[in-house]
Amino acid sequence: MSRFSFRRAAAVQAPEPAPALTVVEAAPTPAARTRSIDDELLDMRLRLHARLIEEIDLSKLGELDEGEMRRQVRRLVGDFAKDGRLALNTLELDQIGAEVFDEMVGLGPIEPLLKDESINDILINGPNQVYVERRGELELTPVRFRDNDHLLRIVNRIVAAVGRRIDESSPMVDARLADGSRVNAAIYPITIDGACVSIRKFSKKPLSFERLVGVGAMPACVSEFLQGAIKARVSTVISGGTGSGKTTLLNAMSAAISHGERLITIEDAAELQLQQPHVVRMETRPPNIEGKGEIRQRELVKNALRMRPDRVILGEVRGEEAFDMLQAMNTGHEGSMATIHANTPRDAITRLEQMVAMGGLKLTPESIRGQIASAVGMIVQVMRLSDGKRKVMSVSEITGMEGQVVQMQEIFAFHRIGTDAEGNVHGEFRATGLRPKCLDEMNRRGILYDTANFDPQRAL
């Protein structure tokens, strides 16, 4: 007898005979034949899933380990297929068993995509179209859902796990998976062709500076400079477009922070993977169904300053919390870090100025720029190139004010030379020849850096 607890004693009755999987239409095309078989396999999987839910006492699932659960589901699938006289081979039974298991306790059809470490993004455009991004290129997958209701069940399973909700009155949601992967979902009435889900996956092993150097995101000397600046408590903003690798770089840079410091992270959906032992993670909260109870980043930043942090790390600055972040950097929390959406370092300064103004404070543009110049020490610009690769494009230092303009000097830059026939972008990193002001602070803290790397005559 299975270790599963059944609601009905006695042998499981066979389900109604399912239609044979063999396509009988006259001379079908290979594509039509494949789609017909896929349709029937999908229908069968969902029928078996519904039947297993009826037969199995789900309260007993927690008593079994995953391997035992998979074996029991596989056995029951085999029994159902045999009783239903379904012509399936062992490989097909194993596949259906795994899919039924994923439907029961995982995220259904997309579970294999989540386990594929070569995939960076999963983009679901309704029940019949699922794209993934591998190595910067989009690919259409054969994965699909039975209908929009099937997709909505998976979406609700995701958002319910983190205490969020999604329905017609609140048709957009930001959430996260257990591994920290970022999820955004939108449903009717704001989407026309079914629910749309975007999942930004994060590696189980966060990218380190060594790995970023290895994949060509930056040269070793730039990596060493960034690590030295972090140890010297230079407040840093990472700027870039969507999907450019801002959070990945922030994770890598945070690894250089001393394990003796107290860190507080503030995010819309917790996804940072800091390696230090003393980390307090905070997350915003959307309003409830009555439109109350919302907790924004600004309130979290204010509260974080009362929690004795050594550094505050914001997943992304996108609104009026920018002023509180600048205040934190100016009042004893040097070395704090954040990301921001901007195309150039100068644009990042302009966006910070605009976001401070969003707070409704009666500050002149000159005073806002003064706050930025005294708070932010370095801006690191990242970009996703046309070949899909992410690179650090510029490392710039803010040196102060001159008149009404925030002064900034570029230390390192990536120069694009050209693109080959296969679409790969070629270029080289070079120093500008300017000696950064923060080098003095690095030297005072005993952080040695080879000044020969600032020679603009050689490629890095």
Side-chain angles (χ1 to χ4, degrees):
M1 187 70 175
S2 166
R3 290 176 62 190
F4 283 106
S5 176
F6 289 86
R7 295 193 178 93
R8 291 190 289 277
V12 178
Q13 296 180 357
E16 296 180 3
L21 294 181
T22 304
V23 181
V24 297
E25 297 177 0
T29 64
R33 184 185 301 111
T34 300
R35 184 167 182 82
S36 176
I37 292 175
D38 288 345
D39 287 345
E40 295 191 37
L41 284 172
L42 180 59
D43 289 341
M44 181 195 308
R45 173 165 55 81
L46 294 175
R47 288 200 306 272
L48 290 177
H49 170 238
R51 186 61 179 268
L52 285 170
I53 294 300
E54 293 177 3
E55 299 292 339
I56 296 174
D57 184 354
L58 296 179
S59 65
K60 302 295 183 181
L61 288 177
E63 300 175 5
L64 304 177
D65 60 41
E66 181 177 331
E68 179 65 18
M69 291 166 62
R70 285 187 179 275
R71 285 191 292 272
Q72 296 291 354
V73 170
R74 169 63 177 81
R75 185 186 63 78
L76 291 173
V77 168
D79 291 344
F80 286 162
K82 181 178 178 181
D83 294 337
R85 298 185 296 279
L86 303 177
L88 298 173
N89 59 36
T90 302
L91 183 61
E92 291 169 332
L93 287 173
D94 290 340
Q95 178 184 350
I96 293 175
E99 291 173 346
V100 170
F101 179 84
D102 291 339
E103 197 70 40
M104 291 174 62
V105 300
L107 297 181
I110 63 172
E111 192 70 28
L113 304 181
L114 293 169
K115 296 175 181 177
D116 188 341
E117 295 188 1
S118 69
I119 293 175
N120 298 320
D121 290 85
I122 302 171
L123 308 172
I124 304 172
N125 306 328
N128 298 315
Q129 192 179 73
V130 179
Y131 281 88
V132 298
E133 181 198 288
R134 282 190 178 93
R135 295 175 291 276
E137 300 292 333
L138 289 176
E139 302 175 11
L140 179 64
T141 72
V143 173
R144 62 189 187 85
F145 297 80
R146 182 175 186 177
D147 49 33
N148 196 55
D149 289 339
H150 182 202
L151 175 53
L152 286 175
R153 286 199 299 272
I154 301 300
V155 172
N156 279 300
R157 189 177 298 175
I158 293 172
V159 302
V162 291
R164 304 283 172 100
R165 67 182 180 88
I166 186 168
D167 50 40
E168 289 190 14
S169 64
S170 181
M172 297 181 294
V173 68
D174 285 314
R176 55 181 165 81
L177 302 180
D179 64 357
S181 296
R182 181 194 314 165
V183 181
N184 176 270
I187 65 171
Y188 179 85
I190 65 171
T191 58
I192 307 301
D193 301 318
C196 293
V197 184
S198 303
I199 301 176
R200 172 67 55 79
K201 289 177 56 183
F202 286 92
S203 173
K204 294 180 176 61
K205 295 180 180 179
L207 285 176
S208 63
F209 270 118
E210 290 74 16
R211 290 184 65 189
L212 290 174
V213 171
V215 298
M218 70 181 84
C221 60
V222 175
S223 165
E224 292 167 7
F225 176 77
L226 292 179
Q227 292 180 69
I230 295 164
K231 293 174 182 177
R233 301 184 67 86
V234 176
S235 296
T236 303
V237 171
I238 301 173
S239 168
T242 300
S244 58
K246 298 186 299 298
T247 305
T248 298
L249 181 58
L250 180 58
N251 272 320
M253 293 177 67
S254 67
I257 298 174
S258 167
H259 283 217
E261 297 186 39
R262 173 177 168 86
L263 310 179
I264 297 182
T265 68
I266 299 171
E267 304 171 81
D268 279 331
E271 56 190 0
L272 290 173
Q273 300 168 302
L274 271 60
Q275 307 303 306
Q276 286 75 10
H278 197 164
V279 178
V280 178
R281 304 170 72 202
M282 302 175 71
E283 188 177 60
T284 61
R285 187 178 73 184
N288 60 22
I289 196 168
E290 290 87 17
K292 301 178 180 179
E294 180 182 16
I295 300 177
R296 301 172 301 172
Q297 283 203 79
R298 184 169 193 183
E299 283 77 31
L300 293 180
V301 174
K302 289 180 178 178
N303 190 74
L305 299 183
R306 305 185 182 104
M307 298 172 68
R308 199 266 174 213
D310 288 305
R311 306 193 198 208
V312 178
I313 300 177
L314 272 72
E316 182 182 341
V317 183
R318 64 179 68 188
E320 54 196 21
E321 69 275 2
F323 176 75
D324 302 281
M325 180 198 73
L326 296 176
Q327 291 290 89
M329 292 176 174
N330 270 323
T331 54
H333 304 94
E334 297 88 355
S336 295
M337 295 187 286
T339 71
I340 188 172
H341 276 82
N343 294 324
T344 67
R346 180 61 63 181
D347 287 345
I349 293 176
T350 303
R351 285 213 67 209
L352 278 174
E353 185 179 344
Q354 293 169 344
M355 287 187 286
V356 171
M358 289 169 60
L361 301 172
K362 295 182 179 180
L363 299 173
T364 64
E366 292 77 11
S367 62
I368 294 175
R369 291 169 195 154
Q371 287 273 354
I372 295 172
S374 60
V376 181
M378 186 167 60
I379 297 179
V380 182
Q381 184 71 35
V382 294
M383 180 181 289
R384 176 182 170 184
L385 302 178
S386 57
D387 58 3
K389 296 177 182 177
R390 280 87 170 175
K391 285 190 182 292
V392 172
M393 301 299 292
S394 170
V395 177
S396 302
E397 182 184 43
I398 294 180
T399 58
M401 293 282 292
E402 184 173 323
Q404 299 183 8
V405 179
V406 177
Q407 291 299 300
M408 183 169 52
Q409 61 181 15
E410 192 171 51
I411 309 301
F412 300 103
F414 176 75
H415 300 280
R416 283 174 282 189
I417 297 174
T419 305
D420 63 24
E422 297 178 354
N424 297 312
V425 176
H426 296 279
E428 60 184 15
F429 286 90
R430 284 187 182 271
T432 60
L434 299 175
R435 186 179 187 275
K437 290 176 61 178
C438 65
L439 197 61
D440 295 334
E441 180 63 23
M442 291 169 60
N443 291 332
R444 283 192 290 269
R445 292 176 180 264
I447 303 167
L448 302 179
Y449 185 75
D450 186 1
T451 56
N453 292 323
F454 299 129
D455 182 2
Q457 300 302 319
R458 64 186 182 95
L460 302 177

